[in-house]
Amino acid sequence: MGASLDDLKVDDFIARGQAEEMPRAYGDALFAEAERRPELICLCADLVASTETDQIRDRLPDQFVHVGIAEANMMGMAAGMARCGHIAVTHTFSVFSTRRTFDQIAMQVAYPRTNVKMVGFLPGVLTLLGVSHQAIDDIALMRALPNVAIAEPSGPEQIAAIVKASCARPGPVYMRMRRDALSKRPEMTAGDFDFGRGSILREGSDLVVFAVGIMVETALEASDRLSADGIEISVVNMASIKPLDTALVLEQARRCRAVITAENHSIIGGLGSAVAECLAQEGVAARLHRIGLQDTFAEGGSRAFLLQKYGMDTNAIVAAAIDLVKKKDL
């Protein structure tokens, strides 16, 4: 049988083929902020459904601007709107929000500290669309720019708190968003967020895992397996990547003396680099293992396939933890 027109239609190639409906946590949170803040302007680069900005387009049209496939122009427009007193919130995929627009962000957003909030969807390696759409360096790029704060929720449960905190924070913010199902884990239900603060989700004395984004739940799954083998680990949600909660990093590293970082990003320039820099600068002696993309480009594939192939799944954290615990007293 040949493909029907419905089979060929692609309304949203993030959600296409998903077995369950994703919660609209980001779209609902942004709409609530836009209703409360008439100065908030939502800009979108031709990805309305994928970035959940359709609710503002349809219900608050005076606060919505569709710029088309013109991401660099969108950043300039947002900076200009911010200079006129607006909170300008830009939307596209993470790779287009950072790599494609880097010079515009540096000169028009970061340097003058304009009140622009940049929202990037589809972060990291997890997409069927391959290298062109995989944002493996977006945290590294944004971390390198002065004045830009960076946040990534552990799941839908934390999105509303991050959106609210980002809109309340003066100056540039990069929000790294992924549409996902609600977690069934009780540790993931808390939605609190403050810039510069991490959150301890599980306490253990043998090792600490600093995780961000989808890797938070992966780390919690690893902690269950390790606990069954008598290894107790701390799991810390580092949703605020910049500013980093350096006090918490140092306290946990000194206590455990073995550290894993876990991120859906290259190990170069992201959370792993930020934690390593913090430990080195303060002279904290702790063994460190960084889990993430190991300085390579990935390929398109399913979530389970990509995480397993590139050593970013539960098994990888478990293996790294066992190895670190064995070595930390040597």
Side-chain angles (χ1 to χ4, degrees), residues 200-214:
I200 301 173
L201 302 184
R202 182 164 180 163
E203 290 268 20
S205 60
D206 293 312
L207 180 141
V208 58
V209 180
F210 297 109
V212 65
I214 64 160

Side-chain angles (χ1 to χ4, degrees), residues 306-321:
L306 290 170
L307 291 180
Q308 186 276 327
K309 175 166 183 174
Y310 294 104
M312 298 163 60
D313 61 359
T314 304
N315 290 336
I317 295 179
V318 168

Side-chain angles (χ1 to χ4, degrees), residues 41-45 56 61-68 74 77 81:
I41 301 293
C42 169
L43 299 92
C44 186
I56 292 182
D62 291 341
Q63 292 174 250
F64 180 83
V65 179
H66 198 316
V67 305
M74 178 172 65
M77 293 167 64
M81 292 175 181

Side-chain angles (χ1 to χ4, degrees), residues 60-142:
L60 298 171
D62 291 341
Q63 292 174 250
F64 180 83
V65 179
H66 198 316
V67 305
I69 305 175
E71 295 88 355
N73 286 343
M74 178 172 65
M75 293 303 171
M77 293 167 64
M81 292 175 181
R83 286 180 178 272
C84 293
H86 292 288
I87 300 172
V89 190
T90 66
H91 299 83
T92 183
F93 290 155
S94 297
V95 69
F96 306 144
S97 184
T98 55
R99 190 189 303 161
R100 182 172 291 178
T101 63
F102 188 73
D103 192 54
Q104 284 73 26
I105 294 173
M107 292 292 94
Q108 296 174 283
V109 177
Y111 174 54
R113 301 187 186 186
T114 48
N115 201 19
V116 176
K117 318 304 174 185
M118 299 159 283
V119 183
F121 278 77
L122 210 66
V125 302
L126 304 186
T127 169
L128 295 168
L129 298 172
V131 171
S132 65
H133 285 64
Q134 288 171 336
I136 64 171
D137 50 16
D138 54 325
I139 296 174
L141 290 168
M142 294 297 100

Side-chain angles (χ1 to χ4, degrees), residues 202-253:
R202 182 164 180 163
E203 290 268 20
S205 60
D206 293 312
L207 180 141
V208 58
V209 180
F210 297 109
V212 65
I214 64 160
M215 302 304 291
V216 173
E217 188 161 14
T218 304
L220 288 168
E221 291 168 359
S223 74
D224 291 341
R225 286 174 49 184
L226 289 163
S227 181
D229 291 333
I231 298 175
E232 299 297 335
I233 70 171
S234 289
V235 176
V236 181
N237 176 13
M238 300 300 283
S240 176
I241 302 168
K242 184 184 178 186
L244 188 72
D245 191 343
T246 55
L248 183 58
V249 169
L250 296 172
E251 184 272 326
Q252 288 285 320

